[in-house]
PDB file of all heavy atoms in Angstrom:
ATOM      1  N   CYS E 717     -25.915   3.671 -21.546  1.00  0.00           N
ATOM      2  CA  CYS E 717     -26.241   2.746 -20.457  1.00  0.00           C
ATOM      3  C   CYS E 717     -26.244   3.465 -19.114  1.00  0.00           C
ATOM      4  O   CYS E 717     -27.166   3.293 -18.305  1.00  0.00           O
ATOM      5  CB  CYS E 717     -25.244   1.587 -20.446  1.00  0.00           C
ATOM      6  SG  CYS E 717     -25.581   0.340 -19.183  1.00  0.00           S
ATOM      7  N   LEU E 718     -25.236   4.279 -18.869  1.00  0.00           N
ATOM      8  CA  LEU E 718     -25.161   5.003 -17.607  1.00  0.00           C
ATOM      9  C   LEU E 718     -26.341   5.966 -17.444  1.00  0.00           C
ATOM     10  O   LEU E 718     -26.874   6.138 -16.343  1.00  0.00           O
ATOM     11  CB  LEU E 718     -23.844   5.770 -17.528  1.00  0.00           C
ATOM     12  CG  LEU E 718     -22.602   4.905 -17.263  1.00  0.00           C
ATOM     13  CD1 LEU E 718     -21.328   5.689 -17.538  1.00  0.00           C
ATOM     14  CD2 LEU E 718     -22.608   4.368 -15.844  1.00  0.00           C
ATOM     15  N   ASP E 719     -26.772   6.576 -18.549  1.00  0.00           N
ATOM     16  CA  ASP E 719     -27.929   7.480 -18.487  1.00  0.00           C
ATOM     17  C   ASP E 719     -29.191   6.724 -18.088  1.00  0.00           C
ATOM     18  O   ASP E 719     -29.989   7.206 -17.273  1.00  0.00           O
ATOM     19  CB  ASP E 719     -28.145   8.151 -19.850  1.00  0.00           C
ATOM     20  CG  ASP E 719     -27.080   9.192 -20.169  1.00  0.00           C
ATOM     21  OD1 ASP E 719     -26.357   9.602 -19.241  1.00  0.00           O
ATOM     22  OD2 ASP E 719     -26.963   9.579 -21.347  1.00  0.00           O
ATOM     23  N   VAL E 720     -29.394   5.532 -18.656  1.00  0.00           N
ATOM     24  CA  VAL E 720     -30.565   4.722 -18.315  1.00  0.00           C
ATOM     25  C   VAL E 720     -30.516   4.323 -16.844  1.00  0.00           C
ATOM     26  O   VAL E 720     -31.523   4.401 -16.123  1.00  0.00           O
ATOM     27  CB  VAL E 720     -30.640   3.481 -19.223  1.00  0.00           C
ATOM     28  CG1 VAL E 720     -31.599   2.438 -18.645  1.00  0.00           C
ATOM     29  CG2 VAL E 720     -31.082   3.869 -20.628  1.00  0.00           C
ATOM     30  N   ILE E 721     -29.359   3.902 -16.375  1.00  0.00           N
ATOM     31  CA  ILE E 721     -29.215   3.493 -14.976  1.00  0.00           C
ATOM     32  C   ILE E 721     -29.545   4.651 -14.041  1.00  0.00           C
ATOM     33  O   ILE E 721     -30.271   4.491 -13.047  1.00  0.00           O
ATOM     34  CB  ILE E 721     -27.790   2.964 -14.726  1.00  0.00           C
ATOM     35  CG1 ILE E 721     -27.608   1.597 -15.407  1.00  0.00           C
ATOM     36  CG2 ILE E 721     -27.505   2.845 -13.230  1.00  0.00           C
ATOM     37  CD1 ILE E 721     -26.191   1.065 -15.359  1.00  0.00           C
ATOM     38  N   ARG E 722     -29.033   5.831 -14.366  1.00  0.00           N
ATOM     39  CA  ARG E 722     -29.285   7.002 -13.521  1.00  0.00           C
ATOM     40  C   ARG E 722     -30.752   7.434 -13.587  1.00  0.00           C
ATOM     41  O   ARG E 722     -31.393   7.666 -12.556  1.00  0.00           O
ATOM     42  CB  ARG E 722     -28.385   8.157 -13.953  1.00  0.00           C
ATOM     43  CG  ARG E 722     -28.503   9.390 -13.054  1.00  0.00           C
ATOM     44  CD  ARG E 722     -27.730  10.574 -13.570  1.00  0.00           C
ATOM     45  NE  ARG E 722     -28.285  11.095 -14.810  1.00  0.00           N
ATOM     46  CZ  ARG E 722     -27.745  10.929 -16.013  1.00  0.00           C
ATOM     47  NH1 ARG E 722     -26.608  10.269 -16.138  1.00  0.00           N
ATOM     48  NH2 ARG E 722     -28.309  11.436 -17.091  1.00  0.00           N
ATOM     49  N   GLU E 723     -31.290   7.558 -14.800  1.00  0.00           N
ATOM     50  CA  GLU E 723     -32.652   8.064 -14.965  1.00  0.00           C
ATOM     51  C   GLU E 723     -33.691   7.130 -14.352  1.00  0.00           C
ATOM     52  O   GLU E 723     -34.753   7.584 -13.903  1.00  0.00           O
ATOM     53  CB  GLU E 723     -32.937   8.278 -16.450  1.00  0.00           C
ATOM     54  CG  GLU E 723     -32.128   9.427 -17.062  1.00  0.00           C
ATOM     55  CD  GLU E 723     -32.129   9.399 -18.577  1.00  0.00           C
ATOM     56  OE1 GLU E 723     -32.849   8.540 -19.153  1.00  0.00           O
ATOM     57  OE2 GLU E 723     -31.420  10.225 -19.180  1.00  0.00           O
ATOM     58  N   ARG E 724     -33.422   5.824 -14.323  1.00  0.00           N
ATOM     59  CA  ARG E 724     -34.389   4.865 -13.799  1.00  0.00           C
ATOM     60  C   ARG E 724     -34.102   4.488 -12.342  1.00  0.00           C
ATOM     61  O   ARG E 724     -34.756   3.609 -11.789  1.00  0.00           O
ATOM     62  CB  ARG E 724     -34.435   3.627 -14.690  1.00  0.00           C
ATOM     63  CG  ARG E 724     -34.859   3.976 -16.116  1.00  0.00           C
ATOM     64  CD  ARG E 724     -34.906   2.782 -17.039  1.00  0.00           C
ATOM     65  NE  ARG E 724     -35.126   3.218 -18.414  1.00  0.00           N
ATOM     66  CZ  ARG E 724     -35.129   2.421 -19.484  1.00  0.00           C
ATOM     67  NH1 ARG E 724     -34.922   1.110 -19.320  1.00  0.00           N
ATOM     68  NH2 ARG E 724     -35.322   2.916 -20.694  1.00  0.00           N
ATOM     69  N   GLY E 725     -33.113   5.127 -11.749  1.00  0.00           N
ATOM     70  CA  GLY E 725     -32.828   4.903 -10.338  1.00  0.00           C
ATOM     71  C   GLY E 725     -32.385   3.488 -10.022  1.00  0.00           C
ATOM     72  O   GLY E 725     -32.717   2.947  -8.962  1.00  0.00           O
ATOM     73  N   ILE E 726     -31.616   2.905 -10.896  1.00  0.00           N
ATOM     74  CA  ILE E 726     -31.173   1.521 -10.711  1.00  0.00           C
ATOM     75  C   ILE E 726     -29.933   1.502  -9.820  1.00  0.00           C
ATOM     76  O   ILE E 726     -28.992   2.269 -10.020  1.00  0.00           O
ATOM     77  CB  ILE E 726     -30.852   0.872 -12.072  1.00  0.00           C
ATOM     78  CG1 ILE E 726     -32.069   0.930 -12.990  1.00  0.00           C
ATOM     79  CG2 ILE E 726     -30.388  -0.568 -11.888  1.00  0.00           C
ATOM     80  CD1 ILE E 726     -31.757   0.581 -14.432  1.00  0.00           C
ATOM     81  N   ARG E 727     -29.934   0.617  -8.843  1.00  0.00           N
ATOM     82  CA  ARG E 727     -28.806   0.479  -7.928  1.00  0.00           C
ATOM     83  C   ARG E 727     -28.384  -0.979  -7.834  1.00  0.00           C
ATOM     84  O   ARG E 727     -29.212  -1.880  -7.850  1.00  0.00           O
ATOM     85  CB  ARG E 727     -29.196   0.974  -6.532  1.00  0.00           C
ATOM     86  CG  ARG E 727     -29.533   2.460  -6.467  1.00  0.00           C
ATOM     87  CD  ARG E 727     -28.302   3.320  -6.506  1.00  0.00           C
ATOM     88  NE  ARG E 727     -27.452   3.095  -5.336  1.00  0.00           N
ATOM     89  CZ  ARG E 727     -26.221   3.577  -5.231  1.00  0.00           C
ATOM     90  NH1 ARG E 727     -25.680   4.243  -6.216  1.00  0.00           N
ATOM     91  NH2 ARG E 727     -25.514   3.352  -4.127  1.00  0.00           N
ATOM     92  N   LYS E 728     -27.084  -1.190  -7.748  1.00  0.00           N
ATOM     93  CA  LYS E 728     -26.508  -2.534  -7.572  1.00  0.00           C
ATOM     94  C   LYS E 728     -26.981  -3.497  -8.664  1.00  0.00           C
ATOM     95  O   LYS E 728     -27.341  -4.643  -8.388  1.00  0.00           O
ATOM     96  CB  LYS E 728     -26.822  -3.068  -6.179  1.00  0.00           C
ATOM     97  CG  LYS E 728     -26.204  -2.237  -5.065  1.00  0.00           C
ATOM     98  CD  LYS E 728     -26.386  -2.888  -3.697  1.00  0.00           C
ATOM     99  CE  LYS E 728     -25.683  -2.075  -2.624  1.00  0.00           C
ATOM    100  NZ  LYS E 728     -25.808  -2.687  -1.280  1.00  0.00           N
ATOM    101  N   ALA E 729     -26.942  -3.030  -9.891  1.00  0.00           N
ATOM    102  CA  ALA E 729     -27.357  -3.863 -11.016  1.00  0.00           C
ATOM    103  C   ALA E 729     -26.226  -4.781 -11.453  1.00  0.00           C
ATOM    104  O   ALA E 729     -25.043  -4.493 -11.255  1.00  0.00           O
ATOM    105  CB  ALA E 729     -27.778  -2.983 -12.192  1.00  0.00           C
ATOM    106  N   VAL E 730     -26.601  -5.890 -12.069  1.00  0.00           N
ATOM    107  CA  VAL E 730     -25.652  -6.737 -12.785  1.00  0.00           C
ATOM    108  C   VAL E 730     -25.945  -6.560 -14.270  1.00  0.00           C
ATOM    109  O   VAL E 730     -27.092  -6.680 -14.708  1.00  0.00           O
ATOM    110  CB  VAL E 730     -25.774  -8.214 -12.372  1.00  0.00           C
ATOM    111  CG1 VAL E 730     -24.809  -9.061 -13.198  1.00  0.00           C
ATOM    112  CG2 VAL E 730     -25.467  -8.384 -10.879  1.00  0.00           C
ATOM    113  N   LEU E 731     -24.926  -6.235 -15.040  1.00  0.00           N
ATOM    114  CA  LEU E 731     -25.053  -6.093 -16.478  1.00  0.00           C
ATOM    115  C   LEU E 731     -24.936  -7.471 -17.122  1.00  0.00           C
ATOM    116  O   LEU E 731     -24.080  -8.272 -16.742  1.00  0.00           O
ATOM    117  CB  LEU E 731     -23.957  -5.172 -17.017  1.00  0.00           C
ATOM    118  CG  LEU E 731     -23.768  -3.834 -16.278  1.00  0.00           C
ATOM    119  CD1 LEU E 731     -22.569  -3.088 -16.847  1.00  0.00           C
ATOM    120  CD2 LEU E 731     -25.032  -2.997 -16.359  1.00  0.00           C
ATOM    121  N   VAL E 732     -25.813  -7.751 -18.073  1.00  0.00           N
ATOM    122  CA  VAL E 732     -25.773  -9.020 -18.803  1.00  0.00           C
ATOM    123  C   VAL E 732     -25.710  -8.680 -20.289  1.00  0.00           C
ATOM    124  O   VAL E 732     -26.541  -7.910 -20.789  1.00  0.00           O
ATOM    125  CB  VAL E 732     -27.004  -9.892 -18.494  1.00  0.00           C
ATOM    126  CG1 VAL E 732     -27.031 -11.124 -19.392  1.00  0.00           C
ATOM    127  CG2 VAL E 732     -27.005 -10.310 -17.022  1.00  0.00           C
ATOM    128  N   ALA E 733     -24.722  -9.227 -20.977  1.00  0.00           N
ATOM    129  CA  ALA E 733     -24.434  -8.739 -22.318  1.00  0.00           C
ATOM    130  C   ALA E 733     -24.113  -9.854 -23.297  1.00  0.00           C
ATOM    131  O   ALA E 733     -23.797 -10.984 -22.921  1.00  0.00           O
ATOM    132  CB  ALA E 733     -23.262  -7.756 -22.256  1.00  0.00           C
ATOM    133  N   HIS E 734     -24.175  -9.469 -24.588  1.00  0.00           N
ATOM    134  CA  HIS E 734     -23.751 -10.351 -25.674  1.00  0.00           C
ATOM    135  C   HIS E 734     -22.766  -9.600 -26.560  1.00  0.00           C
ATOM    136  O   HIS E 734     -22.997  -8.441 -26.907  1.00  0.00           O
ATOM    137  CB  HIS E 734     -24.955 -10.803 -26.516  1.00  0.00           C
ATOM    138  CG  HIS E 734     -24.575 -11.623 -27.714  1.00  0.00           C
ATOM    139  ND1 HIS E 734     -24.972 -11.316 -28.997  1.00  0.00           N
ATOM    140  CD2 HIS E 734     -23.812 -12.752 -27.816  1.00  0.00           C
ATOM    141  CE1 HIS E 734     -24.492 -12.205 -29.830  1.00  0.00           C
ATOM    142  NE2 HIS E 734     -23.786 -13.095 -29.140  1.00  0.00           N
ATOM    143  N   SER E 735     -21.654 -10.230 -26.895  1.00  0.00           N
ATOM    144  CA  SER E 735     -20.702  -9.723 -27.878  1.00  0.00           C
ATOM    145  C   SER E 735     -20.250  -8.299 -27.542  1.00  0.00           C
ATOM    146  O   SER E 735     -19.696  -8.060 -26.466  1.00  0.00           O
ATOM    147  CB  SER E 735     -21.328  -9.820 -29.273  1.00  0.00           C
ATOM    148  OG  SER E 735     -20.357  -9.660 -30.276  1.00  0.00           O
ATOM    149  N   LYS E 736     -20.465  -7.319 -28.443  1.00  0.00           N
ATOM    150  CA  LYS E 736     -20.047  -5.941 -28.168  1.00  0.00           C
ATOM    151  C   LYS E 736     -20.619  -5.431 -26.848  1.00  0.00           C
ATOM    152  O   LYS E 736     -19.994  -4.600 -26.175  1.00  0.00           O
ATOM    153  CB  LYS E 736     -20.482  -5.016 -29.305  1.00  0.00           C
ATOM    154  CG  LYS E 736     -20.146  -3.556 -29.061  1.00  0.00           C
ATOM    155  CD  LYS E 736     -20.809  -2.632 -30.071  1.00  0.00           C
ATOM    156  CE  LYS E 736     -20.573  -1.159 -29.702  1.00  0.00           C
ATOM    157  NZ  LYS E 736     -21.257  -0.238 -30.629  1.00  0.00           N
ATOM    158  N   GLY E 737     -21.800  -5.925 -26.470  1.00  0.00           N
ATOM    159  CA  GLY E 737     -22.387  -5.491 -25.216  1.00  0.00           C
ATOM    160  C   GLY E 737     -21.473  -5.711 -24.036  1.00  0.00           C
ATOM    161  O   GLY E 737     -21.500  -4.953 -23.056  1.00  0.00           O
ATOM    162  N   GLY E 738     -20.626  -6.740 -24.100  1.00  0.00           N
ATOM    163  CA  GLY E 738     -19.678  -6.984 -23.013  1.00  0.00           C
ATOM    164  C   GLY E 738     -18.607  -5.915 -22.933  1.00  0.00           C
ATOM    165  O   GLY E 738     -18.157  -5.554 -21.840  1.00  0.00           O
ATOM    166  N   LEU E 739     -18.173  -5.394 -24.081  1.00  0.00           N
ATOM    167  CA  LEU E 739     -17.217  -4.286 -24.086  1.00  0.00           C
ATOM    168  C   LEU E 739     -17.868  -3.043 -23.491  1.00  0.00           C
ATOM    169  O   LEU E 739     -17.246  -2.316 -22.703  1.00  0.00           O
ATOM    170  CB  LEU E 739     -16.737  -3.995 -25.509  1.00  0.00           C
ATOM    171  CG  LEU E 739     -16.078  -5.151 -26.265  1.00  0.00           C
ATOM    172  CD1 LEU E 739     -15.658  -4.685 -27.653  1.00  0.00           C
ATOM    173  CD2 LEU E 739     -14.878  -5.697 -25.504  1.00  0.00           C
ATOM    174  N   ILE E 740     -19.131  -2.807 -23.853  1.00  0.00           N
ATOM    175  CA  ILE E 740     -19.871  -1.685 -23.281  1.00  0.00           C
ATOM    176  C   ILE E 740     -19.979  -1.863 -21.764  1.00  0.00           C
ATOM    177  O   ILE E 740     -19.772  -0.933 -20.989  1.00  0.00           O
ATOM    178  CB  ILE E 740     -21.265  -1.570 -23.898  1.00  0.00           C
ATOM    179  CG1 ILE E 740     -21.170  -1.316 -25.411  1.00  0.00           C
ATOM    180  CG2 ILE E 740     -22.079  -0.468 -23.229  1.00  0.00           C
ATOM    181  CD1 ILE E 740     -22.513  -1.410 -26.130  1.00  0.00           C
ATOM    182  N   GLY E 741     -20.305  -3.085 -21.345  1.00  0.00           N
ATOM    183  CA  GLY E 741     -20.468  -3.354 -19.919  1.00  0.00           C
ATOM    184  C   GLY E 741     -19.198  -3.090 -19.133  1.00  0.00           C
ATOM    185  O   GLY E 741     -19.234  -2.499 -18.043  1.00  0.00           O
ATOM    186  N   LYS E 742     -18.046  -3.503 -19.669  1.00  0.00           N
ATOM    187  CA  LYS E 742     -16.785  -3.240 -18.971  1.00  0.00           C
ATOM    188  C   LYS E 742     -16.537  -1.740 -18.896  1.00  0.00           C
ATOM    189  O   LYS E 742     -16.105  -1.218 -17.859  1.00  0.00           O
ATOM    190  CB  LYS E 742     -15.620  -3.944 -19.664  1.00  0.00           C
ATOM    191  CG  LYS E 742     -14.306  -3.686 -18.944  1.00  0.00           C
ATOM    192  CD  LYS E 742     -13.127  -4.429 -19.537  1.00  0.00           C
ATOM    193  CE  LYS E 742     -11.842  -4.058 -18.793  1.00  0.00           C
ATOM    194  NZ  LYS E 742     -10.646  -4.752 -19.317  1.00  0.00           N
ATOM    195  N   ALA E 743     -16.833  -1.020 -20.000  1.00  0.00           N
ATOM    196  CA  ALA E 743     -16.653   0.432 -19.999  1.00  0.00           C
ATOM    197  C   ALA E 743     -17.549   1.092 -18.957  1.00  0.00           C
ATOM    198  O   ALA E 743     -17.159   2.062 -18.296  1.00  0.00           O
ATOM    199  CB  ALA E 743     -16.941   0.998 -21.385  1.00  0.00           C
ATOM    200  N   VAL E 744     -18.757   0.567 -18.768  1.00  0.00           N
ATOM    201  CA  VAL E 744     -19.666   1.101 -17.755  1.00  0.00           C
ATOM    202  C   VAL E 744     -19.083   0.893 -16.361  1.00  0.00           C
ATOM    203  O   VAL E 744     -19.086   1.805 -15.521  1.00  0.00           O
ATOM    204  CB  VAL E 744     -21.056   0.446 -17.866  1.00  0.00           C
ATOM    205  CG1 VAL E 744     -21.920   0.771 -16.646  1.00  0.00           C
ATOM    206  CG2 VAL E 744     -21.756   0.901 -19.142  1.00  0.00           C
ATOM    207  N   LEU E 745     -18.576  -0.308 -16.084  1.00  0.00           N
ATOM    208  CA  LEU E 745     -17.982  -0.575 -14.769  1.00  0.00           C
ATOM    209  C   LEU E 745     -16.810   0.364 -14.488  1.00  0.00           C
ATOM    210  O   LEU E 745     -16.597   0.789 -13.352  1.00  0.00           O
ATOM    211  CB  LEU E 745     -17.513  -2.029 -14.697  1.00  0.00           C
ATOM    212  CG  LEU E 745     -18.581  -3.126 -14.741  1.00  0.00           C
ATOM    213  CD1 LEU E 745     -17.920  -4.505 -14.656  1.00  0.00           C
ATOM    214  CD2 LEU E 745     -19.594  -2.964 -13.623  1.00  0.00           C
ATOM    215  N   LEU E 746     -16.060   0.701 -15.535  1.00  0.00           N
ATOM    216  CA  LEU E 746     -14.903   1.568 -15.355  1.00  0.00           C
ATOM    217  C   LEU E 746     -15.287   3.031 -15.174  1.00  0.00           C
ATOM    218  O   LEU E 746     -14.581   3.783 -14.503  1.00  0.00           O
ATOM    219  CB  LEU E 746     -13.982   1.451 -16.583  1.00  0.00           C
ATOM    220  CG  LEU E 746     -13.178   0.149 -16.700  1.00  0.00           C
ATOM    221  CD1 LEU E 746     -12.637  -0.008 -18.108  1.00  0.00           C
ATOM    222  CD2 LEU E 746     -12.037   0.139 -15.677  1.00  0.00           C
ATOM    223  N   ARG E 747     -16.404   3.440 -15.768  1.00  0.00           N
ATOM    224  CA  ARG E 747     -16.736   4.851 -15.832  1.00  0.00           C
ATOM    225  C   ARG E 747     -17.857   5.294 -14.903  1.00  0.00           C
ATOM    226  O   ARG E 747     -18.171   6.473 -14.833  1.00  0.00           O
ATOM    227  CB  ARG E 747     -17.074   5.234 -17.270  1.00  0.00           C
ATOM    228  CG  ARG E 747     -15.839   5.242 -18.173  1.00  0.00           C
ATOM    229  CD  ARG E 747     -16.200   4.918 -19.621  1.00  0.00           C
ATOM    230  NE  ARG E 747     -15.021   4.912 -20.475  1.00  0.00           N
ATOM    231  CZ  ARG E 747     -14.108   3.932 -20.518  1.00  0.00           C
ATOM    232  NH1 ARG E 747     -14.230   2.899 -19.710  1.00  0.00           N
ATOM    233  NH2 ARG E 747     -13.074   3.994 -21.334  1.00  0.00           N
ATOM    234  N   GLN E 748     -18.487   4.361 -14.198  1.00  0.00           N
ATOM    235  CA  GLN E 748     -19.592   4.757 -13.322  1.00  0.00           C
ATOM    236  C   GLN E 748     -19.087   5.629 -12.184  1.00  0.00           C
ATOM    237  O   GLN E 748     -18.026   5.384 -11.617  1.00  0.00           O
ATOM    238  CB  GLN E 748     -20.311   3.525 -12.785  1.00  0.00           C
ATOM    239  CG  GLN E 748     -19.442   2.560 -12.007  1.00  0.00           C
ATOM    240  CD  GLN E 748     -20.195   1.310 -11.591  1.00  0.00           C
ATOM    241  OE1 GLN E 748     -21.401   1.245 -11.668  1.00  0.00           O
ATOM    242  NE2 GLN E 748     -19.468   0.299 -11.142  1.00  0.00           N
ATOM    243  N   ALA E 749     -19.857   6.662 -11.868  1.00  0.00           N
ATOM    244  CA  ALA E 749     -19.448   7.607 -10.834  1.00  0.00           C
ATOM    245  C   ALA E 749     -19.524   6.991  -9.441  1.00  0.00           C
ATOM    246  O   ALA E 749     -18.712   7.297  -8.570  1.00  0.00           O
ATOM    247  CB  ALA E 749     -20.317   8.864 -10.913  1.00  0.00           C
TER     248      ALA E 749
END
């Protein structure tokens, strides 16, 4: 997810998720540079 955000130049995004995707989303919020 972080690679896609960086490669596509996405800024100030809101992640929208289902099930495991929510765990991924929290991990992204914790690990974003």
Side-chain angles (χ1 to χ4, degrees):
C717 182
L718 286 166
D719 288 345
V720 164
I721 288 173
R722 184 186 67 254
E723 292 165 5
R724 299 179 188 175
I726 303 168
R727 296 284 296 170
K728 297 187 176 181
V730 177
L731 311 175
V732 173
H734 175 234
S735 195
K736 177 191 174 183
L739 302 180
I740 299 171
K742 180 176 177 180
V744 168
L745 294 180
L746 287 164
R747 289 151 181 76
Q748 58 184 347

